[in-house]
Amino acid sequence: RITTQCLNTERLVTYLSKNFSKYELVLAKIYHSSLQPNSEIVRKQLNGYYNPVFAIEMKMDWMVKEVLNGFQFLSNNPNLEGGETLVETVKGNPNFISSNLNGTLMRFSVGCEDFQDIIRDVDQALLNVVKKCSLVA
């Protein structure tokens, strides 16, 4: 299960990184061990796999709410783990101590679903927020 989660996360983060320009209106940054300048050293330290957890920073806090509220595939229930993709906000979450007090950070723990479905769902969620931004502008 952990191997599948790690591979799914790496594929998703790679997709988001390569397609960052699609989301540049709403997405500020992606955080994952594979994106570090010394990523191969990190991979070696992690026994050949990257962490199945990553974070994205949205440009505004209302965008986080749009992603969480608008899509059923995402769960913000911290009692679930493993099988399904879990998304948590940092702001107001007692599990995190963060300087990101404006609520723009989202933490993803990627599950064992088909990686293409996960990519499609996250892509759709982000593009929905991009569309809302375009309508406002």
Side-chain angles (χ1 to χ4, degrees):
R1 180 181 90 171
I2 297 294
T3 303
T4 300
Q5 289 175 274
C6 293
L7 291 173
N8 283 351
T9 305
E10 187 177 354
R11 289 171 174 152
L12 176 56
V13 168
T14 298
Y15 178 85
L16 292 173
S17 296
K18 286 182 178 178
N19 293 280
F20 193 86
S21 62
K22 286 172 47 173
Y23 319 112
E24 64 189 354
L25 280 176
V26 299
L27 194 56
K29 190 164 183 175
I30 305 167
Y31 300 94
H32 188 249
S33 54
S34 67
L35 300 175
Q36 295 182 37
N38 57 353
S39 62
E40 287 307 312
I41 293 170
V42 173
R43 179 181 282 241
K44 189 179 276 188
Q45 290 173 338
L46 296 173
N47 294 321
Y49 297 98
Y50 292 115
N51 196 311
V53 174
F54 76 100
I56 60 174
E57 186 175 347
M58 304 298 284
K59 291 193 174 180
M60 301 179 86
D61 62 349
W62 68 265
M63 295 172 179
V64 170
K65 292 174 189 163
E66 285 293 322
V67 171
L68 289 176
N69 292 333
F71 293 88
Q72 299 296 325
F73 79 98
L74 298 175
S75 171
N76 58 3
N77 181 351
N79 296 319
L80 298 174
E81 27 179 281
E84 296 181 0
T85 298
L86 170 69
V87 182
E88 298 177 279
T89 58
V90 174
K91 183 178 181 181
N93 188 327
N95 297 321
F96 297 99
I97 297 173
S98 173
S99 61
N100 187 296
L101 298 177
N102 61 3
T104 58
L105 195 63
M106 299 173 69
R107 177 189 175 269
F108 288 71
S109 177
V110 177
C112 295
E113 304 100 327
D114 179 75
F115 77 92
Q116 292 173 331
D117 288 341
I118 299 169
I119 289 171
R120 188 173 29 255
D121 289 343
V122 173
D123 179 66
Q124 181 183 7
L126 292 172
L127 289 177
N128 184 57
V129 181
V130 168
K131 183 179 176 182
K132 288 191 178 217
C133 284
S134 299
L135 293 175
V136 173

